[in-house]
Structure formats: C-alpha cells, structure tokens
C-alpha cells in the first residue's frame, strides 16, 4: 500500500487545497506542528505569492508584478515572508485552540486592519465591490489572507473549522458535511494512513 501523507515533499505549488477557505489553505502550508519535524512549505516570499494565487485571491498578473518587486528588494521580501509565517501560525492557533490567545488575536487584528484599510471600493459592470489596488506593495499578497481569516473568525462558519484527526498533520478545514462528520483533511491521504496504521497494528497483534 502506498503511504501517502501530507508530510510528503509537496510544495505550495503542488499541495492539495482541502481547507475550504483561503485562510485555511494558507494555514496548511505547514504541517507536523504537534510532534515535529515541522514541514514548512512557505520557504520564501515567492511561496507566499504562489499560495495566494492558488487559493484565488491574487491574479497571475498581480503575482508577476509582486515577484518582480520582491526580486528588486530582497530584504523587504524576506520581512514580508517572516510576517506571513507569523500570521499563519497565529491563524492556526486561533482556529485550532479552544482558548483565544491575546497575542495571536492582536497580530491578526493588526494584519487584518492594514488589509481592510488598503481596500478600495469600486464599481464594475456587475455592481460594486471591495478590492485591493494593483500595487508593488509586497504585503498585497498577505492582505486577502488576513482578511479571509478575520472574516471566517467572525462568522458562524468558524464553528465548522476542524483540525485533521491524523497525528501530527495539523491541517485545518471547513467541515461542510451535513452531519459535520468529516475527520480528515483528505480521506485519500490522512484517512487511508490511519486505516493502514490500524491494519498493521492488528497484523502485529495477530
Ligand atoms: Zn490530515
């Protein structure tokens, strides 16, 4: 049996998007938090742009512009990458832990505040919408992710956020099943791994 786990050598470009919300797929760029070793897929600013594109909150043309701006300003890009990792871990704890940590909430509030302040109201053929300007500001890749987390945290849907039941996976997802019975980030990945582990435990016992 092929053992397929979220700890495989996937990258932000190839990882599954099972979270059900942009901020949860962003959280899932790391796994193995419980007992380690941490699988870190956000290895630099480019990866922040890539995950924002993949979850649909950044157009490819905007991504290209940000990659170019980052290449011209490596220290600034590194600083936004560090901000992204800190934001991601705060979002993980806010959704995965029962007790809200004040520091995590303050961090998200700061990032979401900047994100909302940067939004523009514009008219389109279909009506009006909030959007972010086409910009060289490297934080542009973070804004919609922080806004997504603040929106989910303040909605009724936040009660449906679950952590994968597999040991040390730590992926978060929105359980939209009718009876709220979903246990795994992906049945084909962590669900099968758990089944295989029970099977081999029985074999050893036999
Ligand atoms: Zn999992």
């Amino acid at each position: 049996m092929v053992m397929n786990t979220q700890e495989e050598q996937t990258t932000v470009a190839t990882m599954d998007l099972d979270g059900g919300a942009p901020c949860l797929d962003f959280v899932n760029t790391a796994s193995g938090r419980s007992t380690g070793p941490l699988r870190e897929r956000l290895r630099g600013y480019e990866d922040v742009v890539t995950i924002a594109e993949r979850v649909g909150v950044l157009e490819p043309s905007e991504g290209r512009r940000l990659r170019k701006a980052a290449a011209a300003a490596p220290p600034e890009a590194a600083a936004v990458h560090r901000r992204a990792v800190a934001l991601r871990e705060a979002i993980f704890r806010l959704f995965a832990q029962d007790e809200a940590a004040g520091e995590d909430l303050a961090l998200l509030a700061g990032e979401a505040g900047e994100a909302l302040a940067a939004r523009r109201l514009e008219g389109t053929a279909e009506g009006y919408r909030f959007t972010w300007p086409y910009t060289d500001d490297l934080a542009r890749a973070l804004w919609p992710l922080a806004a997504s987390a603040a929106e989910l945290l303040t909605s009724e849907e936040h009660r449906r956020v679950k952590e994968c039941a597999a040991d040390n996976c730590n992926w978060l997802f929105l359980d939209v099943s009718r009876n709220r019975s979903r246990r795994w980030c992906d049945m084909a990945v962590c669900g099968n791994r758990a089944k295989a582990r029970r099977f081999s435990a029985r074999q050893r016992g036999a």
Side-chain angles (χ1 to χ4, degrees):
M1 175 178 221
V2 177
M3 295 298 276
N4 196 2
T5 78
Q6 300 291 20
E7 288 97 282
E8 270 187 300
Q9 294 299 328
T10 55
T11 67
V12 284
T14 59
M15 61 181 270
D16 290 334
L17 302 176
D18 299 315
C23 62
L24 300 182
D25 286 323
F26 176 51
V27 162
N28 296 346
T29 57
S31 47
R33 291 181 181 86
S34 299
T35 55
L38 185 77
R39 290 285 183 181
E40 178 58 83
R41 296 178 188 82
L42 276 190
R43 292 169 177 270
Y45 179 76
E46 290 235 343
D47 291 336
V48 181
V49 172
T50 300
I51 192 68
E53 288 172 336
R54 287 200 65 208
V55 301
V57 297
L58 197 64
E59 293 293 329
S61 61
E62 297 176 295
R64 278 194 296 278
R65 179 171 174 160
L66 292 175
R67 284 191 178 88
K68 207 172 152 189
E76 287 77 6
V80 176
H81 170 244
R82 283 193 296 275
R83 262 173 74 185
V85 170
L87 171 65
R88 183 195 65 195
E89 293 310 297
I91 296 171
F92 171 75
R93 288 187 295 266
L94 283 165
F95 285 109
Q97 295 175 358
D98 293 333
E99 278 178 46
E103 280 175 25
D104 291 330
L105 190 59
L107 195 151
L108 174 59
E111 293 288 0
E114 178 182 318
L116 299 187
R119 287 193 312 183
R120 300 283 177 270
L121 182 62
E122 67 171 30
T124 71
E126 290 84 43
Y128 299 96
R129 63 169 191 172
F130 271 117
T131 187
W132 283 281
Y134 199 68
T135 176
D136 282 338
D137 191 328
L138 298 182
R140 167 66 180 85
L142 281 188
W143 292 335
L145 299 169
S148 162
E151 196 176 308
L152 182 57
L153 198 64
T154 54
S155 77
E156 276 300 305
E157 295 242 283
H158 89 271
R159 295 174 203 283
R160 290 178 177 254
V161 176
K162 289 186 183 173
E163 184 175 346
C164 178
D167 291 341
N168 207 31
C169 170
N170 307 126
W171 275 30
L172 300 183
F173 58 85
L174 202 56
D175 182 4
V176 292
S177 64
R178 198 184 305 173
N179 53 3
R180 303 193 186 191
S181 58
R182 184 173 160 192
R183 295 188 63 207
W184 317 103
C185 63
D186 186 334
M187 189 61 213
V189 178
C190 286
N192 278 342
R193 183 160 61 127
K195 267 198 300 194
R197 186 171 293 160
R198 282 198 299 275
F199 179 76
S200 61
R202 274 202 307 275
Q203 296 278 299
R204 278 197 304 275

